[in-house]
């Protein structure tokens, strides 16, 4: 055999295969004052490899598994770092940076929605709760793509999919552009990393989430019937219709609480009152003009319609429509104000749960501040209760700051001194503003007072308590189901379950379904990340207990084992990307399911390596590698975005039309332009390429502009081409 081939034992070769695919584990578990857990350390090499290969990566571990410090461990390798976060998490990230001993600029998604950030050119862009940038049609998304154009991009979110699979494509498109639509399963498994609590042995210190326990809320079908029969509202000028959506929105608020419905009705009446005042003055305001009227604490402040709106000839006809709608709202509000039995039942359930979990810290979430306020009013007398909404926090003694309320409820999680018993908070009622990025590990009970529109929101609520740093072995979850008549109209639980099923199939989801009812839960096969973790679990066992020296050299480690089917398992590098290639019979594959099926066959008893068998395997691997490289060279591996062919044709035409004496100088620019036009890019560069496709600029200016596009630097280790470099071969003999 060739001198670079080393025949070893089966366990030794399996260990080399594992080391190639799993990568080198970080030797730096310490990050400032933080000691990283094994599952955090193991993700660093994977994410860094993805940053080099794709220009970005998505870390979507379950809520509470320490994604923040994984990101900062990677950030220390980049000189210029920019972190984009929701405004509510800015202080948390600044604290994390201090603890990690790292400096970085932190800006908010909200700021990006309002204004252009000052000129920054980060080497690494970190986006926490990156699902806030899942809508490509927003100004926020466009500004993020500009920030990402020359940077590696690391996205963090436990819930990348809120509504549909396009959410994931939009996130990956920030750094992959249109390539995000065509990723193969192996590629997707390399650039999306997700571990689920309870499914990966290396995850320790994260509580188990118990199955959801449901409470049936009393119903009043007459309320739903009256809401659905409300006369349609008059929209603002140019505002379209939407009457049915408004009715369904009111039902959704009633399914949260009667208090939320009453507040919604008051706001609708205030809006109708503003329209009535304007129409009586002969004016029909737009939605923007209606903002001049404000409604707060039950008081309506009217603008001066003659100055704010343009005259309308049919004001009297429109006025009658608004009056009809307003009168119906007033009648319904008066009726709803007389009864509060359903809210009383919800409050009784809260008290019952507290009694059943005596001594436990409990956090209850709802979408609407009115719901939280009403529940607080009903149970505040029991002591150690606080409510927290966007307007601040309140306890029996009066108002206090958001930070004080969180510290009193979860002093251990927030590293503050425990409060006195008189100031302690054991029961926290909060709106969903606390469902992202807040540490409430002191809690061991989570209550869904209502059902939000997405399963992602429910997972985020539970993740406030079920996260690293908790001393509890498990977290109990309770859910107040929507009234039956509201559920029959809205299908809230079915909608949440559908969105959860979509997320679970694509990127995985919590092991425990977010709803108490399993009626709508799809028992589909495991998600791609879950299958990737299953394969990694097999390989991790192969790496245990073997001391084989691992080095990136030209040696090939070979062994043969007895198996129920013939074939082989090969590991090596395609360019700089680790690759696992399996053969079962005559079929070669890099498919994840094939790898999971074939790898256990490699654990049989050792047999002698046969030279002819080795040669056949090497020829098959070389043929596969040649086909793969030819496909990449021909541009067939990744379908080029629409318009790239037109760019390349114009480059060719620019060379063909130029006079011979300047062809050489233009050819050099054209070569660079061709490289830019042929490569894959993030969304920002792709948008510029699309603009250049239709640009009327003269050829010289056009070529120079195309060639000078500033793009993300490529991984220098890939400069030598894509040739497959075999490192380990395990022959399977039947």
């Amino acid at each position: 055999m060739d001198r670079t081939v080393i025949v070893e034992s089966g366990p030794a070769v399996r260990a080399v295969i594992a080391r190639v695919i799993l990568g080198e584990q970080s030797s730096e578990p310490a990050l400032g004052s933080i000691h990283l857990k094994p599952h955090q350390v193991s993700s660093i090499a994977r994410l860094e490899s993805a940053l080099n290969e794709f220009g970005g990566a998505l870390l979507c571990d379950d809520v509470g598994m320490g994604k923040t410090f994984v990101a900062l461990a990677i950030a220390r390798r980049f000189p210029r770092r920019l972190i984009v976060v929701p405004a509510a998490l800015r202080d948390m990230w600044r604290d994390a940076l201090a603890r990690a001993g790292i400096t970085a600029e932190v800006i908010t998604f909200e700021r990006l929605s309002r204004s252009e950030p000052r000129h920054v050119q980060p080497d690494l862009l970190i986006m926490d709760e990156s699902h806030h940038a899942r809508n490509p049609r927003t100004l926020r998304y466009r500004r993020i793509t500009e920030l990402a154009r020359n940077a590696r991009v690391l996205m963090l979110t436990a819930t990348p999919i809120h509504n549909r699979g396009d959410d994931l494509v939009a996130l990956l498109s920030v750094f992959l552009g249109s390539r995000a639509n065509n990723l193969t399963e192996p590629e997707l498994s390399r650039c999306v990393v997700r571990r689920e609590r309870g499914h990966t042995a290396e995850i320790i210190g994260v509580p188990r989430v118990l199955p959801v326990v449901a409470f049936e809320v009393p119903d009043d079908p007459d309320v739903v019937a009256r809401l659905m029969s409300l006369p349609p509202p008059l929209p603002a000028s140019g505002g379209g219709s939407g009457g049915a959506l408004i009715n369904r929105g009111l039902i959704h608020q009633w399914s949260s609480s009667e208090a939320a419905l009453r507040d919604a009705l008051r706001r609708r009446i205030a809006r109708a009152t503003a329209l009535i005042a304007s129409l009586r003055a002969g004016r029909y305001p737009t939605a923007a003009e209606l903002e001049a009227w404000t409604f707060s604490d039950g008081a309506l402040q009217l603008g001066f319609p003659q100055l704010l709106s343009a005259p309308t000839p049919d004001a009297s006809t429109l006025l009658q429509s608004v009056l009809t709608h307003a009168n119906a709202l007033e009648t319904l509000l008066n009726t709803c104000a007389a009864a509060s039995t359903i809210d009383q039942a919800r409050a009784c359930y809260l008290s019952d749960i507290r009694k059943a979990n005596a001594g436990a810290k409990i956090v209850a979430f709802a979408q609407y501040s009115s719901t939280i306020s009403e529940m607080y009013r009903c149970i505040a007398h029991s002591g150690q209760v606080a409510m927290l909404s966007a307007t601040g926090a309140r306890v029996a003694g009066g108002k206090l700051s958001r930070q004080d309320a969180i510290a009193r409820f979860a002093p251990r999680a927030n590293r503050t001194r425990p409060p006195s018993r008189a100031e302690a908070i054991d029961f926290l009622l909060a709106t969903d503003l606390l469902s992202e990025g807040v540490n409430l590990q002191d809690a061991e009970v989570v209550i869904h007072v209502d059902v939000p529109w997405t399963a992602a929101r429910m997972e985020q609520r539970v993740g406030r308590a079920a996260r690293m740093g908790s001393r509890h072995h498990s977290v109990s979850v309770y859910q107040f189901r929507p009234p039956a008549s509201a559920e029959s109209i809205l299908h809230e639980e079915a909608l949440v379950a559908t969105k959860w099923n979509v997320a679970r199939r694509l990127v995985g989801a919590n092991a425990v379904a977010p709803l108490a009812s399993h009626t709508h839960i799809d028992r589909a096969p495991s998600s791609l990340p879950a299958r990737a973790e299953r394969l990694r679990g097999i390989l991790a066992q192969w790496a245990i207990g073997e001391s084989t020296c691992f080095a990136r050299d030209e040696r090939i480690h070979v062994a043969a084992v007895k198996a129920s089917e013939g074939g082989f398992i090969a590991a090596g590098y395609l360019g700089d990307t680790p690759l696992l290639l399996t053969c079962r019979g005559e079929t070669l594959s890099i498919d994840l399911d094939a790898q999971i099926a074939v790898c256990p066959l490699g654990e049989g008893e050792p047999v002698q390596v046969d030279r002819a068998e080795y040669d056949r395997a090497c020829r098959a691997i070389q043929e596969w590698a040649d086909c793969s490289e030819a496909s990449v060279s021909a541009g067939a591996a990744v379908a080029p975005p629409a318009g790239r062919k037109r760019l390349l044709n114009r480059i060719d035409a620019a060379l063909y039309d130029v006079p011979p004496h300047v062809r050489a100088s233009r050819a050099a620019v054209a070569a660079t332009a061709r490289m830019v036009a042929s490569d894959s890019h993030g969304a920002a560069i792709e948008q510029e390429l699309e603009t250049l496709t239709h640009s009327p600029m003269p050829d010289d200016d056009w070529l120079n502009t195309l060639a000078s596009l500033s793009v993300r630097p490529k991984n220098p280790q890939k400069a030598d081409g894509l040739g497959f470099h075999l490192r380990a071969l395990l022959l399977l003999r039947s």
Side-chain angles (χ1 to χ4, degrees):
M1 290 187 181
D2 192 278
R3 60 185 176 83
T4 60
V5 175
I6 302 175
V7 177
E8 297 191 277
S9 67
V13 172
R14 288 196 295 268
V16 174
I17 292 173
R19 295 287 292 278
V20 170
I21 303 304
L22 298 180
E24 290 293 291
Q25 296 297 306
S26 171
S27 59
E28 301 178 64
L31 179 67
S33 64
I34 305 300
H35 190 84
L36 300 176
K37 300 292 185 183
H39 73 272
Q40 293 174 299
V41 173
S42 71
S43 65
I44 294 173
R46 297 171 64 180
L47 292 168
E48 289 180 333
S49 177
L51 290 174
N52 285 332
E53 180 180 359
F54 302 102
L58 174 61
L59 176 60
C60 49
D61 280 350
D62 264 355
V63 177
M65 287 173 51
K67 295 183 289 295
T68 299
F69 290 110
V70 171
L72 292 181
I74 292 171
R76 61 187 169 186
R77 293 165 170 78
F78 292 84
R80 295 176 298 182
R81 314 131 182 154
L82 176 65
I83 304 173
V84 182
V85 304
L89 306 189
R90 181 170 44 199
D91 290 342
M92 182 276 288
W93 269 92
R94 287 172 176 167
D95 176 66
L97 285 164
R99 295 176 66 191
I102 294 173
T103 59
E105 184 177 358
V106 181
I107 62 175
T108 67
F109 286 110
E110 291 81 355
R111 175 185 166 190
L112 290 177
S113 296
R114 294 191 305 268
S115 61
E116 190 82 30
R118 62 185 176 82
H119 186 64
V120 288
Q121 290 185 324
D123 299 303
L124 177 68
L125 174 65
I126 296 174
M127 294 167 53
D128 193 17
E129 305 294 356
S130 56
H131 53 267
H132 287 282
R134 67 184 187 274
N135 187 351
R137 294 181 294 277
T138 62
L139 179 62
R140 170 188 298 180
Y141 186 91
R142 291 196 296 273
R143 285 176 172 163
I144 284 171
T145 61
E146 283 298 325
L147 291 173
R149 63 178 294 147
N150 298 318
R152 308 285 189 215
V153 181
L154 178 57
M155 297 182 172
L156 314 176
T157 175
T159 52
I161 296 175
H162 277 231
N163 295 301
R164 56 190 66 86
D166 288 346
D167 292 349
L168 178 63
V169 173
L171 292 178
L172 297 179
S173 294
V174 169
F175 56 87
L176 286 175
S178 56
R179 184 185 175 190
N181 292 287
N182 303 297
L183 288 178
T184 64
E185 276 203 345
E187 289 172 333
L188 192 58
S189 69
R190 294 198 297 273
C191 71
V192 176
V193 175
R194 179 181 178 89
R195 281 80 54 83
E196 300 170 14
R197 65 170 72 93
H199 282 187
T200 305
E202 66 182 5
I203 299 173
I204 56 176
V206 181
R208 183 167 61 98
V209 178
L210 301 178
V212 182
V213 177
F215 285 82
E216 299 291 338
V217 172
D219 194 13
D220 187 349
D222 187 51
V223 172
V224 172
R226 282 179 288 166
L227 287 171
M228 289 303 293
S229 62
L230 281 172
L234 178 71
S237 178
S241 182
L245 291 176
I246 290 172
N247 292 0
R248 290 170 64 86
L250 292 172
I251 293 173
H252 188 258
Q253 286 159 318
W254 179 69
S255 74
S256 177
S257 71
E258 293 170 300
L261 174 60
R262 288 193 295 269
D263 273 5
L265 289 172
R266 293 188 187 103
R267 286 191 296 272
R268 294 301 309 169
I269 291 169
R271 182 182 178 87
T273 301
L275 273 171
I276 289 168
S278 186
L279 290 168
R280 281 176 172 162
R283 302 298 200 272
Y284 185 14
T286 64
E289 290 164 346
L290 272 177
E291 292 181 1
W293 284 269
T294 60
F295 176 72
S296 178
D297 297 326
L300 177 67
Q301 179 180 337
L302 294 175
F304 191 57
Q306 287 87 345
L307 297 179
L308 296 173
S309 309
T312 182
D314 54 350
S316 59
T317 304
L318 298 174
L319 177 61
Q320 188 56 49
S321 174
V322 183
L323 287 170
T324 301
H325 181 66
N327 290 336
L329 291 173
E330 289 278 7
T331 301
L332 184 56
L333 178 60
N334 292 334
T335 304
C336 292
S340 60
T341 56
I342 299 178
D343 283 357
Q344 288 174 0
R346 290 185 173 100
C348 287
Y349 287 152
L350 293 177
S351 297
D352 291 344
I353 293 171
R354 192 176 191 186
K355 290 175 183 176
N357 295 274
K361 297 257 185 180
I362 301 171
V363 57
F365 288 102
Q367 293 181 88
Y368 303 106
S369 58
S370 303
T371 300
I372 291 302
S373 297
E374 181 66 12
M375 295 300 103
Y376 174 77
R377 187 186 66 79
C378 292
I379 68 170
H381 65 275
S382 62
Q384 275 75 52
V385 180
M387 63 164 281
L388 181 57
S389 66
T391 58
R394 177 174 291 276
V395 293
K399 293 183 178 181
L400 70 162
S401 70
R402 176 178 184 270
Q403 291 77 11
D404 284 344
I406 293 173
R408 290 191 194 182
F409 176 76
R412 183 174 182 276
N414 292 277
R415 306 190 316 281
T416 60
R417 179 178 299 176
S420 65
R421 187 56 194 163
E423 292 186 334
I425 297 171
D426 293 336
F427 198 123
L428 181 63
L429 293 150
T431 55
D432 281 325
L433 85 100
L434 271 194
S435 65
E436 281 187 348
V438 179
N439 296 318
L440 302 177
Q441 294 98 312
D442 299 47
E444 56 182 304
V445 177
V446 176
I447 304 172
H448 301 294
V449 178
D450 56 18
V451 177
W453 289 117
T454 68
R457 183 63 70 190
M458 299 187 82
E459 291 186 13
Q460 288 164 349
R461 290 173 174 179
V462 175
R464 296 309 100 217
R467 58 195 301 111
M468 286 175 56
S470 172
R471 290 183 175 178
H472 309 300
H473 296 294
S474 62
V475 170
S476 300
V477 182
Y478 298 88
Q479 173 202 338
F480 295 176
R481 300 192 65 180
S485 58
E487 177 63 16
S488 68
I489 297 293
L490 301 177
H491 307 292
E492 291 173 281
E493 293 189 327
L495 180 64
V496 168
T498 298
K499 293 178 179 180
W500 186 74
N501 288 329
V502 169
R504 191 164 71 99
R505 284 194 298 270
L506 290 175
V507 296
N510 284 336
V512 177
L515 296 167
S517 171
H518 291 252
T519 306
H520 305 285
I521 300 304
D522 180 10
R523 301 301 172 190
S526 297
S527 68
L528 176 62
R531 287 181 282 138
E533 291 308 310
R534 182 179 172 189
L535 175 64
R536 293 182 68 84
I538 295 171
L539 298 177
Q541 291 298 314
W542 289 6
I544 294 176
E546 288 298 323
S547 58
T548 299
C549 180
F550 182 81
R552 292 288 296 271
D553 55 29
E554 295 302 316
R555 295 180 296 174
I556 302 174
H557 302 260
V558 181
V561 296
K562 188 72 175 175
S564 59
E565 299 180 58
F568 60 80
I569 302 168
Y573 297 92
L574 187 64
D576 195 53
T577 302
L579 198 66
L580 184 66
L581 181 64
T582 59
C583 177
R584 197 175 191 176
E586 300 296 326
T587 305
L588 275 71
S589 178
I590 56 172
D591 179 76
L592 192 56
D593 291 327
Q595 294 169 348
I596 293 172
V598 174
C599 280
L601 301 178
E603 298 175 357
E605 294 296 321
V607 295
Q608 187 174 1
V609 173
D610 179 80
R611 173 62 181 263
E613 189 179 10
Y614 166 79
D615 289 341
R616 282 195 301 273
C618 287
R619 283 196 299 272
I621 293 170
Q622 189 60 52
E623 288 174 5
W624 174 88
D626 290 344
C627 288
S628 297
E629 190 161 4
S631 177
V632 171
S633 299
V638 179
R644 295 292 184 91
K645 188 174 181 179
R646 290 193 296 272
L647 279 175
L648 294 171
N649 287 343
R650 183 169 175 183
I651 293 172
D652 292 340
L655 283 176
Y656 179 81
D657 294 338
V658 74
H661 66 280
V662 295
R663 184 168 296 166
S665 60
R666 182 176 285 187
V669 178
T672 303
R674 177 174 286 278
M675 290 176 60
V676 173
S678 302
D679 212 342
S680 60
H681 303 285
I685 297 296
E686 283 199 346
Q687 181 57 50
E688 293 192 30
L689 292 175
E690 177 64 22
T691 301
L692 282 172
T693 300
H694 308 286
S695 172
M697 283 192 293
D699 283 348
D700 276 326
D701 293 340
W702 183 84
L703 279 173
N704 285 323
T705 301
L706 179 56
S708 65
L709 280 182
S710 178
V711 298
R712 184 188 306 119
K714 301 299 177 185
N715 180 9
Q717 294 181 337
K718 292 189 177 183
D720 294 334
L722 288 174
F724 183 73
H725 303 288
L726 181 64
R727 291 288 288 110
L729 179 62
L730 185 62
L731 301 169
L732 309 177
R733 185 178 305 161
S734 59

